[in-house]
Amino acid sequence: MSDRTPRWALAEDGDGHWHAAPVGPAPVGPTPGVRDPAEAVRAAPPGTRWIWRSTSAVYPRLLAAGVTVDRCYDIENAELLLLRHEGRFGEPRSAAAAWARLSGAPVPPDPPQRAAEPGAQDSLFEPRPTPVPLDALLAVYEDQAARHDRTAHPDRMRLLTASESAAFLVAAEMHRAGLPWRADVHRALLTELLGERYAGGGEPRRLAELADRVSEAFGRRVRPDLPADLIKAFAEAGIKLKSTRRWEIQELDHPAVEPLVEFKKLYRIYTAHGWSWLADWVHDGRFRPEFLPGGTFTGRWVTNGGGALQIPKVIRRAVVADPGWRLVVADADQMEPRVLAAISRDPAFMEVAGRPEDLYTSLSRQGFAGDRASAKLAVLGAVYGQTSGDGLKNLAALRRRFPRAVAYVDDAAKAGEEGRLVRTWLGRTCPPPAGDPEEGEAGIPQDREDGGRTPGHSSASTRARGRFTRNFVVQGSAADWALLLLAALRQSIAAAGMRAELVFFQHDEVIVHCPAEEAEAVAEAIRAAGDRAGRIAFGDTPVRFPFSTAIVECYADAK
């Protein structure tokens, strides 16, 4: 951040008034209290970096009033990142909690996470929090600045905090803009796939027909949507099942399998993106999910309701640009292997990741006899911990050619198995084994708060944690890079005065909705933002971060 960037703080008092004040060596007093935070924000100079409690709580109100901001510092998200970096998982992260710790007062618990409100235009608004006065907010901010200085890599940690604060601005703006969605196309798709709905409710015709075929195959009435019913029916036919997952069922030799697999595929669409979902989540031609940056330990985003990150390809046919507009859909190519090259500083791997061709194809000529599939399996084995079969053989070949890259993830796995803290390149921290049991994530064994192993703790649990931390340093660093990508793209779109809007993001894919005449410029802006994010995050390396980009009218046409 430039020292010349004006900084202002914004806080709400206990009476519902908002106060703003410039932050600096000799700050002036706060502005008079106003009921509308947008009024307080308008009093600051352009380009101000805003320091506030929570972007999710403040920014939607500003957007509703037609006010956007360039930059912000999110106190509560910074507190979460810093607490985890300090190994203090599970401690309350609210601004009120941070102030209580700083002032020696009793620390209030964080409020429970609020469920999303389907179809609500203001779903980002939060319940009224414990007020934190402006002077207390600034004291927390100064304390956080000092704590950033004490981290393992202060510059990187500050960059992580700034970029994730920017991500919350992007998330609020994407919610406000919404993903263009044709409800009429969606309804036609549902009828095409599922058949007509019967009067009075119940499953649509196609599902009912498939359910009847499943029952006929078993010779009695079976509910294919009830796992216990299916397991019992198969057991009666002499087939023991551990689960009713599709991959397990489709290998069976039984006449119920074919209609059952089809039923499960369509039933998923019916329950996850059927007529009820459409009525709840799509309004005025837009789907507005609530995006939550850093919603997982690795830093990947999640959504609060709506299933936005799991839209089936067939349903993507309903995602259609406005007349005269286009969707620019960009996927980062082999993002995680490229990130591994950058963070491991393996010279040979960085050189391969900098070539203007498919990374796996390039790797296949480096010890894999031109076999792209084997090269890909080797990289995935390194990142995800493949320890048997061809994966182990391919990993050995990768280790010989790129020892520093493989050693980087090996060291992360070892640290995880030993219960040590493991961090991404910018400083996001994986929970230790003694972390809060309620903060667990798949693949992380949960141990006691006193740091001892839980009774019955197994070597399998230790290995599972090692596999998670092996992947964490790569996937988490890729998530860090994506934050910088979004911030750079948002900044370049605004600087160019485009009408384009960021409307969707998941892991390694971004969608921008823009007038047709801006589409090529947007595609170039995405490519430039990826390169810029790589330089800012990892420094001057040969590694490239290219995109596969499509300019389409319909999302389903992008892949």
Side-chain angles (χ1 to χ4, degrees):
M1 179 182 71
S2 169
D3 291 338
R4 295 188 297 274
T5 301
R7 292 176 296 155
W8 281 53
L10 178 70
E12 185 180 14
D13 63 26
D15 295 326
H17 289 88
W18 293 83
H19 301 270
V23 178
V28 300
T31 59
V34 293
R35 288 289 182 183
D36 183 0
E39 185 178 343
V41 169
R42 290 190 184 102
T48 291
R49 182 187 296 271
W50 285 95
I51 300 163
W52 50 41
R53 178 183 72 82
S54 165
T55 306
S56 305
V58 178
Y59 199 40
R61 295 187 62 170
L62 301 182
L63 291 173
V67 174
T68 60
V69 303
D70 293 335
R71 303 175 181 181
C72 76
Y73 179 96
D74 189 307
I75 289 285
E76 294 191 347
N77 186 67
E79 188 69 12
L80 178 65
L81 293 172
L82 286 165
L83 285 172
R84 289 181 174 178
H85 194 282
E86 295 159 356
R88 299 160 63 184
F89 285 82
E91 291 193 29
R93 44 77 66 92
S94 70
W99 170 238
R101 279 190 290 266
L102 193 59
S103 60
V107 178
D110 287 339
Q113 182 175 341
R114 171 194 47 76
E117 300 174 12
Q121 297 298 308
D122 59 349
S123 66
L124 286 177
F125 284 94
E126 298 178 341
R128 183 172 295 277
T130 303
V132 178
L134 194 62
D135 57 348
L137 191 77
L138 287 171
V140 171
Y141 173 69
E142 294 299 328
D143 176 65
Q144 289 181 348
R147 290 160 64 194
H148 276 89
D149 288 339
R150 295 194 295 269
T151 59
H153 298 281
D155 289 343
R156 295 186 198 171
M157 191 66 189
R158 281 190 287 266
L159 181 59
L160 175 63
T161 302
S163 59
E164 194 146 276
S165 290
F168 277 92
L169 296 177
V170 171
E173 290 169 357
M174 289 199 303
H175 174 81
R176 181 74 179 173
L179 186 65
W181 202 283
R182 287 278 300 276
D184 58 331
V185 173
H186 191 147
R187 282 190 288 267
L189 282 171
L190 294 176
T191 301
E192 173 189 332
L193 294 169
L194 305 174
E196 304 81 10
R197 289 185 290 176
Y198 294 119
E203 293 174 352
R205 175 182 53 79
R206 179 64 176 146
L207 286 179
E209 291 172 351
L210 289 168
D212 287 343
R213 288 179 57 193
V214 170
S215 295
E216 289 169 6
F218 284 115
R220 68 173 180 83
R221 188 64 185 169
V222 175
R223 289 277 303 275
D225 57 323
L226 297 180
D229 214 10
L230 285 174
I231 289 175
K232 181 179 179 181
F234 275 112
E236 291 171 351
I239 299 172
K240 292 184 179 181
L241 290 178
K242 295 180 180 179
S243 74
T244 60
R245 293 185 178 91
R246 192 192 310 174
W247 63 265
E248 185 172 350
I249 291 173
Q250 63 189 10
E251 302 299 325
L252 301 176
D253 183 14
H254 191 278
V257 169
E258 186 269 328
L260 178 57
V261 169
E262 183 67 11
F263 178 93
K264 291 175 75 69
K265 180 178 69 175
L266 295 180
Y267 189 74
R268 172 64 180 168
I269 292 174
Y270 173 59
T271 56
H273 291 94
W275 289 276
S276 295
W277 180 93
L278 183 61
D280 284 342
W281 289 100
V282 177
H283 298 274
D284 302 321
R286 293 291 186 271
F287 169 37
R288 291 183 169 87
E290 179 181 344
F291 293 93
L292 302 176
T296 68
F297 279 126
T298 60
R300 282 190 165 187
W301 291 30
V302 298
T303 56
N304 186 13
L309 303 186
Q310 296 178 332
I311 303 173
K313 183 169 183 179
V314 66
I315 298 299
R316 293 176 189 179
R317 288 159 59 185
V319 182
V320 180
D322 292 344
W325 286 52
R326 297 291 185 270
L327 298 172
V328 182
V329 184
D331 280 303
D333 296 333
Q334 302 103 27
M335 177 175 67
E336 290 186 0
R338 294 176 187 279
V339 166
L340 174 57
I343 62 179
S344 68
R345 294 306 204 249
D346 187 304
F349 202 18
M350 285 194 293
E351 191 273 329
V352 170
R355 295 176 186 171
E357 64 177 329
D358 174 80
L359 182 141
Y360 295 126
T361 299
S362 185
L363 278 177
S364 70
R365 296 193 291 270
Q366 307 289 320
F368 297 94
D371 186 344
R372 183 184 186 278
S374 294
K376 183 175 181 179
L377 285 174
V379 174
L380 296 180
V383 173
Y384 292 97
Q386 177 68 34
T387 57
S388 62
D390 289 341
L392 188 60
K393 180 183 68 175
N394 293 327
L395 178 58
L398 190 75
R399 192 188 307 276
R400 288 192 298 271
R401 186 68 181 83
F402 308 108
R404 288 180 62 176
V406 179
Y408 193 92
V409 288
D410 284 347
D411 289 346
K414 182 180 179 181
E417 291 174 358
E418 294 174 352
R420 290 183 277 134
L421 293 176
V422 178
R423 310 190 201 281
T424 66
W425 182 257
L426 293 188
R428 192 185 305 274
T429 306
C430 177
D436 184 344
E438 296 182 358
E439 294 234 338
E441 181 167 297
I444 304 177
Q446 298 301 304
D447 303 308
R448 297 204 310 270
E449 290 286 0
D450 61 7
R453 297 298 185 186
T454 51
H457 181 81
S458 66
S459 59
S461 179
T462 299
R463 288 194 300 272
R465 177 174 169 78
R467 284 194 299 272
F468 179 81
T469 53
R470 169 188 294 276
N471 176 243
F472 174 84
V473 294
V474 179
Q475 188 182 101
S477 296
D480 295 347
W481 169 84
L483 295 176
L484 292 162
L485 160 74
L486 291 172
L489 179 58
R490 175 181 184 262
Q491 186 180 65
S492 63
I493 288 174
M498 296 184 190
R499 297 165 63 196
E501 296 177 318
L502 271 160
V503 293
F504 188 76
F505 168 71
Q506 62 169 350
H507 312 327
D508 57 0
E509 179 182 65
V510 62
I511 301 179
V512 177
H513 187 220
C514 66
E517 62 271 18
E518 292 181 359
E520 291 293 344
V522 167
E524 178 55 36
I526 293 172
R527 288 189 287 269
D531 289 341
R532 184 181 176 193
R535 291 193 302 273
I536 294 173
F538 309 120
D540 187 14
T541 75
V543 179
R544 298 172 63 251
F545 293 91
F547 287 85
S548 294
T549 305
I551 298 172
V552 295
E553 294 184 50
C554 175
Y555 184 19
D557 294 336
K559 297 186 178 182

